[in-house]
Amino acid sequence: MGLKRGRLGAVILIALIVLTGFLLLRDQPLGELTGALKRVQPGYVLLGLGLMFVFVGSEAMGTRVILGRLGHSVPYRRCLGYSFVGFYVSSITPSSTGGQPAQIYYMSRDGVPAAHGALDMMLLAVCYQVTILLYAAVMLLLRPGLLSLMGGGLGLLLLYGGAVMVVLTAGMLCVMFLPRAARRLTGGVLGILVRLRLIREAKTARERLDRQLEEYREGAACLRKNPGLIPVLLGLTTVQLTALFSVPFVVYRAFGLSEYGPMDLIGTQVLLTVATSALPLPGAVGASEGGFVAAFALFFGSDLVTPAVLVSRGISFYSFLVLSGIITLAVHMRGRKKRTGKPDREPEKQTDTTAA
């Protein structure tokens, strides 16, 4: 991610945070808000923060497993650094587009070939998309009444977000396991874009596309040689998403509420995540808060839903945005020390960079 793009994303994020805060709090009396927040039990807040560490840590473990299968013995703490970098950069770029390239960059700086870093990100992305779609389908089967909570606007966003996820997942699986069909399909799309003059350098674009397709084919080959890898990654992703989706229930209990069970709040958060994930907003700021107020009003009531969204998003996004920003800076500075000749305490042990 370029420096200018990062600064622009940060400016947009700050503007969205200010606007969202204004819209949430303009009709909320300060005394009522303060009184509601005093009800929050600190132990549950700590539990929510712990769940977010599980969220980030599960992805880091997935990265360590994949890189290990590719012949790179990377310490877990370093993989954790990559995951925090991904969280931070994804949070300040529209549709979370900058996180994976940033992670690949820092991996390559530590000696992991960019192709293997891209393969790691691709496998994690496929498992993430598949798991969240399965999660949403299961929740709709177990709690079909949750759809009524979405309302008209959120319902449309749910259809849009779900459709985008299905298309992206199907596309990634297609290029992994049906390379010939994928090349014909991407070639047709590229031809249309060239005719519309949206792409000028057709040859350069085709070469980049072929390199990307090759990475996906390497991913499929890696899975064939390591058949046990997919269950492990899907298991880690399930733990990762369950931790994230459980935060609203922990906040619900933090306010001393107990009428509804974890399945109701987790299922609602699953659908809300699907509805807002495809929107081109840094960190889904604005959409996530507004969607929370609309979808969770039944559980928290009109008096507590605004304080609840502040606590929930404070745990699952804003606190970790600050923490991941600090860790990203530390990861970046560690790389600068290495380039100036100061050795890292725990150098990577690379055994084989060609195995897949």
Side-chain angles (χ1 to χ4, degrees):
M1 183 189 67
L3 184 59
K4 291 183 179 180
R5 183 182 175 188
R7 288 176 177 173
L8 177 61
V11 170
I12 294 174
L13 177 64
I14 292 171
L16 285 172
I17 291 173
V18 172
L19 178 61
T20 300
F22 170 75
L23 293 176
L24 280 176
L25 302 176
R26 61 177 177 176
D27 297 323
Q28 182 75 30
L30 181 60
E32 291 183 9
L33 177 63
T34 303
L37 292 176
K38 286 181 179 179
R39 292 178 52 179
V40 176
Q41 302 175 43
Y44 282 105
V45 175
L46 292 176
L47 176 58
L49 293 172
L51 289 173
M52 288 306 299
F53 275 106
V54 172
F55 173 77
V56 178
S58 297
E59 181 191 286
M61 182 58 71
T63 289
R64 190 170 191 271
V65 169
I66 293 171
L67 293 181
R69 298 296 176 92
L70 294 173
H72 307 285
S73 179
V74 183
Y76 177 73
R77 65 173 180 81
R78 191 164 295 178
C79 294
L80 196 59
Y82 301 147
S83 293
F84 273 109
V85 167
F87 187 99
Y88 176 72
V89 181
S90 293
S91 298
I92 64 172
T93 52
S95 300
S96 303
T97 52
Q100 292 185 348
Q103 287 176 274
I104 294 169
Y105 167 74
Y106 285 108
M107 288 181 200
S108 64
R109 209 172 60 171
D110 288 337
V112 177
H116 287 184
L119 179 56
D120 167 59
M121 290 291 97
M122 182 267 293
L123 291 176
L124 290 178
V126 170
C127 290
Y128 187 92
Q129 298 280 57
V130 169
T131 304
I132 198 171
L133 285 173
L134 291 175
Y135 222 130
V138 170
M139 286 300 174
L140 285 175
L141 288 174
L142 296 178
R143 293 288 192 275
L146 292 177
L147 276 176
S148 62
L149 296 179
M150 296 290 102
L154 276 180
L156 291 175
L157 283 179
L158 179 62
L159 289 175
Y160 168 72
V164 170
M165 279 193 172
V166 168
V167 170
L168 288 176
T169 304
M172 287 188 289
L173 293 174
C174 176
V175 297
M176 284 178 65
F177 298 106
L178 299 172
R180 293 182 181 178
R183 199 177 194 283
R184 288 195 296 268
L185 177 62
T186 55
V189 173
L190 180 60
I192 293 174
L193 295 177
V194 170
R195 284 194 292 272
L196 293 175
R197 296 184 179 180
L198 296 176
I199 292 180
R200 296 181 179 179
E201 299 291 337
K203 183 179 178 181
T204 302
R206 180 73 259 182
E207 290 174 352
R208 290 178 179 174
L209 191 56
D210 286 341
R211 286 196 296 270
Q212 188 68 42
L213 292 175
E214 180 60 30
E215 290 175 2
Y216 277 93
R217 285 193 290 272
E218 290 179 4
C222 179
L223 295 179
R224 293 190 190 100
K225 292 181 179 180
N226 299 277
L229 183 59
I230 280 295
V232 172
L233 294 179
L234 289 176
L236 286 170
T237 308
T238 301
V239 171
Q240 177 188 18
L241 289 174
T242 300
L244 177 66
F245 297 149
S246 298
V247 171
F249 177 70
V250 170
V251 173
Y252 180 73
R253 296 293 293 135
F255 279 96
L257 304 173
S258 59
E259 181 180 354
Y260 294 92
M263 195 75 71
D264 298 305
L265 284 94
I266 290 174
T268 302
Q269 183 59 55
V270 171
L271 299 184
L272 181 59
T273 299
V274 173
T276 59
S277 60
L279 297 176
L281 298 171
V285 171
S288 291
E289 287 80 0
F292 189 103
V293 170
F296 284 91
L298 171 67
F299 306 114
F300 289 95
S302 58
D303 294 336
L304 289 180
V305 70
T306 297
V309 70
L310 295 178
V311 177
S312 183
R313 285 286 282 173
I315 292 172
S316 65
F317 181 72
Y318 295 105
S319 61
F320 267 68
L321 175 64
V322 174
L323 176 61
S324 62
I326 295 171
I327 294 177
T328 297
L329 179 61
V331 170
H332 185 73
M333 295 305 294
R334 177 180 60 80
R336 290 186 62 181
K337 289 181 180 179
K338 289 177 66 176
R339 288 198 301 273
T340 55
K342 297 181 180 180
D344 193 39
R345 286 185 176 181
E346 192 173 349
E348 175 193 345
K349 298 176 183 178
Q350 183 170 317
T351 58
D352 181 12
T353 59
T354 59

